[in-house]
Amino acid sequence: MSEIVSTESRGDCLVIRVNNPPVNALGHAVRAGVVTALADIGGARCAVLHCEGRTFFAGADITEFGKPPQSPSLPEMIAALEDCPAPVIAAIHGMALGGGLETALGCDYRIIDRKARIGFPEIDLGIFPGAGGTQRAPRLAGIAATLGMTLDGKPIDATRAVKTGLCDEISDGDILENAIEFAMQQSQKRRIRDLPSPVVDQPAIDAELAKAAKARRGQIAVDKATEAVLASAALPFEQGLEKERELFLELIGGPQSRAMRHLFFSERLSAKVDGLNASPKSLGLIGVVGSGTMGSGIAMAFANAGFSVRLFDANADALKAGMERIRSLYMASAAKGRTSEAEALDRYDRIQPAHNWEAFSACDLIIEAVFERMDVKKAVFAELDKVARADAILATNTSYLDVDSIAAATKDPARILGMHFFSPANVMRLLEIVRGAKTYDITLATALDAAKRIKKVPVVSGVCHGFIGNRMLKGYGREAGLCMMEGAAPEAVDKALYDFGMPMGPLAMADLAGLDIGYDNRRSMTAGEDYEPLASLLQDRLVEIGRKGQKTGAGIYNYEPGNRTPRPDPDVNAIIEQLAAEHGVKRRDVSSEEIVERCMLALINEGAAILSEGIAQRASDIDVVYANGYGFPRYRGGPMFYADELGAGHILERLENYQEKYGPKWWTPSPLIRELAASGGTFGHWKRDR
């Protein structure tokens, strides 16, 4: 045997041990070792498949993605489990995910540790289980339950695993010892492939499909996975496997899976910063300044990860309201079954209200989350400078402001950086970490470690107005506004981008955020330099007549009480036409294709500038920002991946077309796009000379 796969005889039971840290990925060496061990079973009456370390097989070996499979393949290894003359029992602890669960289903029986979880997460990569999972699982759990796991992608716990029939027994003690004892009681093989085909329960199936249609809009893997699972009832087992493989290969070679796999790897790469070798500081007590929606969410994000938090607000009533909001959110989570009431209360108790600045003197990391005004933030940091320990890290949760200016107002700019959370901060995965000109490596390393510990996806940005995400968003919103002024109805603009895959259109989003937010921001900007006034004429007029968006029941759209569904308003269309006439805009039909193209090109062109300036380290970081913070459809991979799919030459040609039509102010192609078009290069492979 090998160091990765070994065997041990325990009486009449052969224990097949796998030790492939950190997560026992099902790489070629594992598969070959298991097949060899099964071939040498000898006179053993039963076998137990057991993994060392913290988990059962947590999935395929991601380093093999996109490479030709080596024999034995995963289906071949699973066939060897089924062909073994003695019953094989899977001893599941930790996680059995994807190919790991398919491996367990290739065994005759499955015993699961009470704390373990199993699942099919492949849908998040634009594929589905391709090693027999769609044919074996329905024969145990039924079609609806299998579809639920396959289309949702989230793991289920041991209790549910046994209830659905996917596992046979829960282990409360030593998983290996219990599995051996269980195995010795089994005298016969029980291959899932030999079980009857599942029964079709159409109402239950339709319910699962309805949930998936809403959660995974636009993802073709939903239909293909459904077809594969339904084949378990319509076709004999071997033909079902063939159908599964055919559909799986169709998906894995397609653009959506390619895009989603790109994001999978990009999210693991985004926390790696070239040249950063410092080790993070140890974090204990966390401080948060500001108890509004954002500050409360940040406090919850740390409390959820086990940190003790001190939450402060200079306004005592606001602090009380913030604590009440936090308690309400935790109780609502418990009521929905997302956590137990005891855990919800425990998390709430980790957040302690602070009634003066001195409460921050013991904090290791203090995050400011107050009003987005430079004078207000500088005043907060002046107070923190007085009370914070010299080695404490201070972070600003700003969306746009100059982090270097904030840092310059402190005694030690080296310990200052930006930590831009996205609302709601206890839910949204993205965290933009803004590295200032004087930010020490250890400061950045600690922020990255904190992000990991609170389960955020961090992306490091340089300092500029709006950083990566909001800087790019400006052009996206500009083109949406201009398309509306030029002739597209607001609902047509939003529908075009919704159909492209965005979670909601930019105009409905503006109503949700509040039109007065942009209005106030523009008061400190220079029209024609910092923003295109024609694009925001409507929003300015609406704010001035009291229509500020959802919060006032009317903005670009109308809203009925208690209903957030945007409803077109003929009066708004009349205002648009009036404004267009006043400013000499000739109205015309604007196609949905043009709306999408202009908005996407604006994103891509600004993204290219951000990349070439070194604000973002790599193109994939920009994709991570937009997929996790702005709802860019994951099946398109992010704006820069989408640009590479279109090709730099095509991007340049279309930018030059709009430059000729509208002038150079907003449509001058980034030099990087010209460079890539000339060389045939891609954003994904481009590296900036530093």
Side-chain angles (χ1 to χ4, degrees), residues 294 396-400 418-422 430-434 466-467 470 630:
M294 184 61 78
T396 173
N397 176 59
T398 178
S399 305
Y400 289 96
M419 292 180 72
H420 177 207
F421 289 81
F422 286 69
L430 179 66
L431 176 58
E432 271 187 316
I433 298 178
V434 186
F467 318 126
N470 284 336
Y630 298 85

Side-chain angles (χ1 to χ4, degrees), residues 549-554 558-567:
Q550 285 191 17
K551 59 189 171 186
T552 60
N558 285 336
Y559 301 88
E560 295 180 353
N563 190 335
R564 294 191 172 192
T565 302
R567 300 183 182 279

Side-chain angles (χ1 to χ4, degrees), residues 42 473 648 684:
L473 192 65

Side-chain angles (χ1 to χ4, degrees), residues 469-627:
N470 284 336
R471 173 173 162 179
M472 290 173 64
L473 192 65
K474 181 171 66 173
Y476 175 78
R478 178 192 71 231
E479 291 309 309
L482 289 173
C483 286
M484 178 179 64
M485 292 300 297
E486 291 170 24
E491 61 270 22
V493 173
D494 281 345
K495 183 178 186 303
L497 290 156
Y498 179 82
D499 289 347
F500 176 80
M502 301 300 288
M504 65 191 306
L507 304 177
M509 178 63 76
D511 269 358
L512 176 63
L515 300 182
D516 53 324
I517 303 298
Y519 181 90
D520 291 340
N521 284 339
R522 286 189 290 276
R523 301 287 73 78
S524 62
M525 298 180 186
T526 303
E529 292 294 328
D530 299 320
Y531 70 97
E532 170 52 66
L534 189 63
S536 55
L537 278 176
L538 175 67
Q539 289 92 320
D540 290 349
R541 178 68 59 86
L542 293 176
V543 170
E544 288 162 1
I545 62 175
R547 298 179 62 124
K548 299 179 181 180
Q550 285 191 17
K551 59 189 171 186
T552 60
I556 297 172
Y557 300 101
N558 285 336
Y559 301 88
E560 295 180 353
N563 190 335
R564 294 191 172 192
T565 302
R567 300 183 182 279
D569 186 344
D571 291 341
V572 170
N573 291 335
I575 295 173
I576 295 170
E577 292 178 5
Q578 177 189 346
L579 290 171
E582 290 174 1
H583 290 81
V585 178
K586 186 176 180 181
R587 304 267 289 170
R588 61 183 175 86
D589 289 334
V590 183
S591 69
S592 58
E593 292 80 9
E594 180 181 340
I595 293 166
V596 170
E597 181 176 63
R598 286 169 62 176
C599 290
M600 290 303 115
L601 287 176
L603 277 180
I604 292 164
N605 201 31
E606 195 65 37
I610 284 171
L611 189 59
S612 61
E613 292 169 18
I615 298 299
Q617 181 175 311
R618 52 183 80 89
S620 62
D621 287 353
I622 297 173
D623 292 333
V624 170
V625 166
Y626 262 79

Side-chain angles (χ1 to χ4, degrees), residues 428-468:
M428 294 289 283
R429 297 177 69 215
L430 179 66
L431 176 58
E432 271 187 316
I433 298 178
V434 186
R435 184 181 198 174
K438 295 185 178 180
T439 301
Y440 274 165
D441 281 1
I442 192 171
T443 305
L444 180 60
T446 305
L448 286 165
D449 182 62
K452 178 182 177 182
R453 294 176 66 181
I454 62 174
K455 298 182 180 179
K456 300 298 182 187
V457 179
V459 174
V460 176
S461 171
V463 175
C464 65
H465 185 74
F467 318 126
I468 295 172

Side-chain angles (χ1 to χ4, degrees), residues 13 76-77 80 95 146 176 246 395 408 478 500 521 601 619 631 634:
C13 182
E76 289 171 337
M77 187 193 82
M95 293 281 197
T146 301
L176 177 57
E246 172 192 328
R478 178 192 71 231
F500 176 80
N521 284 339
L601 287 176
R634 295 186 71 85

Side-chain angles (χ1 to χ4, degrees), residues 27-28 31 61-74 76 245 249 252 261:
H28 175 258
R31 301 192 302 269
D61 187 342
I62 61 174
T63 64
E64 294 183 359
F65 279 20
K67 297 178 182 178
Q70 289 181 282
S71 184
S73 65
L74 183 56
E76 289 171 337
R245 198 65 186 163
L249 292 175
I252 203 166
R261 295 198 311 269

